[in-house]
Amino acid sequence: MPAVDTPARPRFANRITELLGVEVPIVQAPMGWIARAQLASAVSNAGAMGIIETSSGELDAVRDEIRKMRDLTDKPFGVNIAQAFVRDPGIVDFVVEQGVQFVTTSAGNPNRYTGQLKAAGLTVFHVVPTMAAAQKAVDAGVDGLVVEGGEGGGFKSPRPVSTMVLLPLVASRLGVPIIAAGGFVDGPTMAAALALGAEGVQLGTRMVSALESPVHDNWKQAILDADEQGTVLLNTHTSPAMRALRTARSESREWDTTSNAMELMADPMALYFGGDMEAALALGGQVVGRIDEIKPVAEIIDECARGCLEVVADLAARYPGA
Ligand SMILES: Cc1cc2nc3c(=O)[nH]c(=O)nc-3n(C[C@H](O)[C@H](O)[C@H](O)COP(=O)(O)O)c2cc1C
């Protein structure tokens, strides 16, 4: 897809745009099978940061997707290492060999890969769901943090803390650049992230619903149909806790503290690409309640960026005493 020509694109100059080499400090979330070239190239071409996943564990397919990225965009993109899902000891060498500059690590100990990745010259951000995890990542030497609140989709802390509490807490105590995740979807939420101390946002559920997202239309429709209570937090008694769309399958384990809901991930391909919403868990965040239209990635990025700056300008005009 060619680069989107929006000459009047707002400019955000901060540590995230500088470190990531992007025009707009928005990161598309890594998501198994979903965060591949079709979606990530659209994000990079829109001036934001496309990310390729490795959580599917399909490293040969991932290598092909990265090759496709080089054909589809000349803009920067990154890779995620979801540590709990990719236990391949060669994962760091694999990522370094792909020639990307930006990597996020998640679902694991930041001491494990940060040193190796930094020594290879990569910019490393670690995903954290608590203050203690944020401190540990900074001590491990990361360049920045993805601070993710419990309203977000996907694998979560079993004791979730909302973005509204976690983000300003971490920002007030640590000086590293922060990308906020969990609940971000539009201009006002992006402006809120900046107000709370982040310099960028990561969009997960919003990107699942995007036109270029490869998932079956049934999943996208389920996001449009869901309200703000339309997700279930599963497995808070064990690991991994995860937030998924409310379906008959996920709801059946909502209050279950005896079994492991991971077994509900029976046939992800039948759900992801076959559209059978009861074949597995459709991971998603509470922000489903705020998504009511499938939009192209370029439009989502542009609306977030412009809308954010409009909110900031509007607040400055309404409260000039500041
Ligand atoms: C379908 C889906 C799959 C995800 N897979 C991953 C993953 O592989 N690695 C990761 O770090 N985060 C993963 N996440 C979490 C996202 O990266 C992101 O931080 C989260 O979705 C942000 O919250 P939001 O859904 O409110 O935007 C996933 C989220 C979703 C919805």
Side-chain angles (χ1 to χ4, degrees):
M1 192 184 286
V4 179
D5 184 21
T6 49
R9 178 179 287 137
R11 295 178 67 85
F12 292 83
N14 63 25
R15 290 183 293 176
I16 297 294
T17 56
E18 215 158 277
L19 275 170
L20 275 57
V22 293
E23 292 166 60
V24 182
I26 296 176
V27 177
Q28 159 249 313
M31 298 178 282
W33 293 277
I34 301 169
R36 293 197 170 182
Q38 179 175 310
L39 178 62
S41 64
V43 174
S44 291
N45 282 330
M49 177 52 82
I51 300 279
I52 298 290
E53 57 88 15
T54 59
S55 50
S56 63
E58 297 176 350
L59 296 190
D60 287 340
V62 167
R63 190 179 286 113
D64 282 348
E65 294 297 313
I66 291 174
R67 205 170 290 135
K68 280 187 218 161
M69 286 297 280
R70 308 238 182 258
D71 294 334
L72 294 170
T73 184
D74 55 6
K75 302 275 183 69
F77 61 93
V79 171
N80 169 245
I81 302 176
Q83 296 177 213
F85 305 98
V86 192
R87 297 179 194 275
D88 185 334
I91 186 69
V92 169
D93 292 336
F94 173 84
V95 169
V96 170
E97 280 160 18
Q98 307 312 309
V100 294
Q101 295 301 310
F102 177 61
V103 63
T104 61
T105 52
S106 55
N109 186 337
N111 288 304
R112 180 132 180 233
Y113 296 134
T114 304
Q116 241 181 307
L117 289 162
K118 295 273 314 152
L122 276 78
T123 298
V124 183
F125 276 51
H126 190 69
V127 182
V128 295
T130 63
M131 183 61 225
Q135 184 67 61
K136 186 172 173 179
V138 168
D139 293 344
V142 298
D143 296 287
L145 300 169
V146 178
V147 173
E148 188 181 44
E151 57 269 71
F155 295 94
K156 298 266 83 64
S157 163
R159 293 179 182 166
V161 183
S162 72
T163 301
M164 183 66 116
V165 170
L166 184 64
L167 175 57
L169 176 64
V170 174
S172 69
R173 297 209 183 153
L174 298 172
V176 296
I178 293 175
I179 296 165
F184 298 100
V185 70
D186 58 6
T189 49
M190 184 170 169
L194 302 188
L196 295 173
E199 291 171 58
V201 293
Q202 173 163 289
L203 308 184
T205 306
R206 188 42 156 152
M207 287 296 172
V208 179
S209 77
L211 187 66
E212 293 89 341
S213 157
V215 305
H216 194 280
D217 281 347
N218 288 355
W219 188 348
K220 297 184 189 181
Q221 190 58 47
I223 292 174
L224 306 191
D225 292 344
D227 66 17
E228 74 280 13
Q229 292 183 302
T231 64
V232 179
L233 185 63
L234 296 166
N235 260 4
T236 53
H237 63 293
T238 181
S239 182
M242 53 197 155
R243 187 176 291 286
L245 279 178
R246 185 178 293 281
T247 59
R249 191 179 186 86
S250 62
E251 204 171 46
S252 70
R253 300 288 179 92
E254 187 168 16
W255 311 116
D256 185 310
T257 56
T258 55
S259 62
N260 191 319
M262 259 313 261
E263 66 200 28
L264 299 179
M265 271 294 184
D267 190 354
M269 294 304 102
L271 185 152
Y272 281 50
F273 306 113
D276 178 355
M277 295 301 291
E278 301 297 343
L281 296 171
L283 301 175
Q286 292 178 336
V287 76
V288 288
R290 302 207 52 227
I291 298 171
D292 47 22
E293 208 183 323
I294 294 169
K295 293 183 179 179
V297 161
E299 209 175 296
I300 293 171
I301 302 289
D302 199 52
E303 274 181 20
C304 285
R306 284 176 197 280
C308 171
L309 293 184
E310 275 166 27
V311 169
V312 172
D314 183 52
L315 288 173
R318 283 165 64 193
Y319 303 100

